[in-house]
Amino acid sequence: MEAMTGGKFLQKFRLYETRSKFYLIGRDKSRSHWRVLKIDRLECAELGVEEDPTSYTENECQELLWRIHEGNRLTGGLKFVTKCYGIVGFVKFLGPYYMVVITRRRKVGTICGHEIYSIGKSEMIAIPSVIVCPNVAYSRDENRYKRLLCSVDLSKDFFFSYSYNIMRSLQKNITEKNTGQVVYETMFVWNEFLTRAVRNHLKNTSWTVALVHGFFKQSKLSVSGKDFWLTLIARRSRHFAGTRFLKRGVNEKGRVANDVETEQIVFEDTSDGIPSHMASVVQHRGSIPLVWFQETSRLNIRPDIILKPDVDYKATRLHFENLALRYGNPIIILNLIKTREKKPRESLLRAEFAKAIHYINKGLTEDKRLKFLHMDLSKLSRRKGTNVLALLNKVASDVLDLTEFLHCEISTSAKSEGAPSGERTVAKPRDDKCSSDQSECVAKLVPLLLQKGVLRTNCIDCLDRTNVAQFAYGLTALGRQLHALGIIESPKIELHAPLADDLMDFYERMGDTLAIQYGGSAAHNKIFCEQRGQWKAATQSQEFLRTLQRYYNNAYTDNDKQDAINVFLGHFQPQQGKPALWKLDSDQHYNIGRQGTLKEEIARSFIKRSLSDGNILLENSLPVSNCNNGEKTGLLPMQQLDDIREPSDSAPDISICEPNPSSSMNYGTVPGGRHSMSEEWQNYLKRLGYPELHSSNFLDLDLLSSSGNSCDEEDEEVFERSSLINSPMDEISVESSTSYSEQGHVDEVSGRDDTDLSRSSSQLSDTRDYSDRFAHWIANGGMLCY
């Protein structure tokens, strides 16, 4: 509603030109507030922008335009150029400055009465007049840079709001007062660089819009005869942004690739559009925060993972410090990558990530320690009788017990001044000059419950498996949100409920969108398809085509896409006399902190990797070396939750080392006793600093052991023996502490070789179906025949 939008935000613009100037006329939604921005067209090398301090009425503005026309009649007068809906930014390559404006917009949703828009069409307009523009403006390189920037399609997956800080979560908008310039500097504003010059010159943000890249979907749903609005927002970070194989891991500033914040907002549907209560929950996904990468290859669909050892885990520590600063504590890490592989790839990162968490936790107080949970989701999804979504829902429930979620009440009053502590007005002017208009806002958000901490989920790409886990978390959170709003009586939504299908559609669309942005194809949604009961052959064909599409884009188009992103974000700025972007290796324009000369870098140009926003120090391309196989260490403390639960099968004496592709992995024997621990082992844990056992407030192992499936007694025992918490090490996890083993490994429960078990299992699966052969093809290449 209008009463909720507060300050006079410019929302519609008309651009006029004379030979010497551009005149941008902006007005607010009510047509009561008109402003003028003048842009100099006689200067080619510099950006000349001047804001008229006068606030005009509509008639006064028309009179001003007539006077400008009359004053320039001899040189052609005043001409209308286009109508627009905000400035995306200004950019300069080798010649003149260009202005990027939004010429068409689409309304995609409303939050607290604030309208959210996506971009329907944009246009790049050269600022200097033709008579002063040098020939370089029409040079081949200049035109190529223009095409490169325009290849960032603003009409896809970018959204903005004039009056609501969409780049921040609802909770941050309630609890923090930062507005104006500050919000543009946040990690989710993608045109921060493009708007920097004009914002710094004008000292306000009245003329520009802050673009967020990711996903936005809002829809009205119904449950138990009551309507409510569900909004799902994904905000992609501009830091260390890029494509799948060109952006991996963490850079030296602690910023990870594919960093996405997901927010789920729920509010009731009311006739006047102003709900009385709202609920929001935030979760996070991001690449594994280690220094690692992969060499792009057109011949290998699964390039080797190259891990750079980091003794002090400085970059990893910076990443988690930033997460704690953004979301508070606790930080709960859900790691979904594989534990064991015939050729170690993901498992290399699994072991190193576990060591990093343990190392960092040693320097943290108990209340700030990272909470680590590992689940080999790929193996769990292949296990017969296992309902992966049901298991993830139980994990999500325990996580929400720790983090909770935002629940706020919306109250109305005549003025927002003198609001009690903890209350915030719904609308916060983005423009510093509009702060005096804040008294016009008549609605206040009063937080009844705040989210503390966040769930951080990752797999290897943070796309397919991660999206499944985020849906499970969202479903569990949705039940609690609707219960808090009084819409449903029970805080739980069953997996087969119609509402769960509606939410699955939201997360499936979000997953596809984020996967296309980062990975080059829609997400692999096998688990979602199985949950819906879709035809298996159709699902397999879809997965096959998406694999091919992802491979093609990663191998042939990602380098150009990465270059476009780097130009758009300002990570590469063309200069006269310097090599063009396309003449460089994809990381040569980030040489800060790099070792070796430019000549040496060019010699390594087959490694196509872009290090935007600060760089990873790439020392070599060798896999991480193995540790001393003869040196044995006991089980190191896991993620150190507030306390630790007893390991389900007593933790073994294990040799901790990096997996060696040329040798099999050796595991020590495990002491017997499924739910008992020897006195010696308990004393050992105490020496390591563990608190008393049986007091964990995170995951209930007995609850997880009963997965709700009609599986046989052996499978139930497998889950009962699973230890989900407090062990970042490779040997204690949902998968690694069970008796289910792959060929060539030692059964961790009995200590016997599992080759016979694997052989008997393979005999039962002699008639392999399409999915098995397809998985083998993806893993090993070769020819796929039907």
Side-chain angles (χ1 to χ4, degrees), residues 66-104:
W66 175 253
R67 291 198 300 269
I68 295 174
H69 174 70
E70 289 297 315
N72 291 272
R73 184 180 291 275
L74 294 179
T75 57
L78 183 70
K79 299 177 182 178
F80 172 74
V81 178
T82 183
K83 65 177 182 180
C84 53
Y85 299 94
I87 298 176
V88 172
F90 294 86
V91 64
K92 174 182 170 63
F93 304 120
L94 301 174
Y97 269 94
Y98 300 88
M99 177 172 59
V100 183
V101 295
I102 300 169
T103 56
R104 191 179 302 164

Side-chain angles (χ1 to χ4, degrees), residues 11 106 137 186 228 276 292 313 356 451 503 603:
Q11 297 192 18
R106 296 185 300 266
T186 59
F228 67 94
S276 60
W292 64 282
Y313 300 106
Q451 178 175 341
L503 186 69

Side-chain angles (χ1 to χ4, degrees), residues 72 128 173 218 280 350 395 452 546 616 618 631 646 775:
N72 291 272
N173 278 328
Q218 185 178 78
S280 166
R350 157 78 178 108
V395 173
K452 52 184 185 295
R546 289 182 176 182
I616 300 177
L618 178 59
E631 180 181 352
E646 172 184 348

